[in-house]
């Protein structure tokens, strides 16, 4: 019989809002299990984008940009087609890549240089992907809601990004 309490988060519609740390702990475990045993970076990034997109409520885009030379190039994602190349330092993704720090943007219209790929996006969270000290790309999450992401989302998504790095790095 189907047991919702043990289902992977992306197979349920249960909310993430009540206890975000617990939600992200469960999702991290499921993501690790999903990527375990596969070494192909494209396959693992694609499954990670799908798992994140379908687990976190109120997203309109979730996916990866990877560092290629001195720019970020679009990787696996879920959502509308997006801009393919982002120079380091440009937009939220380029700023996170440059600073190697997560950037939480409650209102994209208030972020100078924000790159609007999907006009529905209102808030954004970008996490750099670091393999030891090496920048390999960013995880980008967009929401149609203003201030969708808080510090708990940032901490939870940083943990998810670390798992992805282990499976694609
Ligand atoms: N908004 C991002 C660009 C990527 S899309 O949102 C998918 C930015 O400003 O870097």
């Amino acid at each position: 019989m189907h047991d919702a309490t043990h289902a992977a988060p992306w197979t349920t519609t249960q909310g993430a809002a009540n206890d975000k740390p617990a939600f992200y702990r469960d999702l991290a475990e499921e993501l690790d299990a999903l990527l375990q045993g596969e070494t192909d970076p494209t396959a693992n990034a694609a499954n990670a984008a799908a798992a994140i997109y379908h687990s976190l409520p109120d997203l309109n885009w979730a996916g990866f940009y990877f560092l290629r030379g001195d720019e970020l190039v679009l990787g696996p994602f879920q959502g509308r087609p997006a801009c393919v190349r982002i120079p380091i330092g440009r937009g939220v993704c380029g700023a996170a890549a440059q600073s190697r720090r997560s950037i939480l943007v409650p209102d994209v219209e208030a972020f100078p240089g924000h790159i609007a790929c999907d006009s529905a996006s209102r808030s954004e969270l970008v996490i750099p992907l670091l393999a030891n000290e090496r920048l390999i790309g960013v995880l980008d999450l967009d929401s149609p809601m203003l201030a969708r992401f808080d510090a708990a989302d940032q901490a939870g998504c940083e943990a998810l990004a670390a798992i992805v790095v282990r499976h694609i790095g």
Side-chain angles (χ1 to χ4, degrees):
M1 202 175 76
H2 184 70
D3 178 355
T5 59
H6 291 104
W10 50 90
T11 65
T12 75
T13 53
Q14 297 196 327
N18 297 343
D19 183 349
K20 284 189 184 181
F23 169 81
Y24 281 109
R25 269 197 305 277
D26 287 352
L27 179 53
E29 224 172 85
E30 299 290 351
L31 183 64
D32 198 36
L34 178 69
L35 306 183
Q36 196 68 48
E38 178 52 65
T39 57
D40 185 90
T42 305
N44 278 345
N47 257 345
I52 291 168
Y53 182 80
H54 288 286
S55 300
L56 273 58
D58 304 311
L59 299 186
N60 60 312
W61 204 91
F64 298 95
Y65 282 88
F66 292 115
L67 184 66
R68 301 280 182 256
D70 56 1
E71 59 187 358
L72 295 168
V73 178
L74 184 64
F77 70 94
Q78 301 272 307
R80 291 186 185 277
C83 26
V84 174
R85 290 174 188 272
I86 300 178
I88 299 300
R90 279 215 51 218
V92 188
C93 290
Q98 190 166 52
S99 65
R100 294 166 175 246
R101 307 194 70 139
S102 301
I103 300 188
L104 200 164
V105 182
D107 178 358
V108 294
E109 282 168 22
F111 187 94
H114 167 257
I115 302 165
C117 291
D118 182 343
S119 61
S121 297
R122 286 286 167 268
S123 58
E124 184 160 359
L125 174 62
V126 180
I127 315 279
L129 302 175
L130 296 165
N132 299 316
E133 301 293 289
R134 190 169 51 95
L135 177 79
I136 59 175
V138 300
L139 168 64
D140 182 17
L141 305 178
D142 285 33
S143 173
M145 285 172 58
L146 271 176
R148 156 67 181 81
F149 307 102
D150 62 15
D153 292 298
Q154 180 178 328
C157 290
E158 285 172 350
L160 300 181
I163 289 166
V164 173
V165 167
R166 275 205 284 115
H167 290 287
I168 65 172

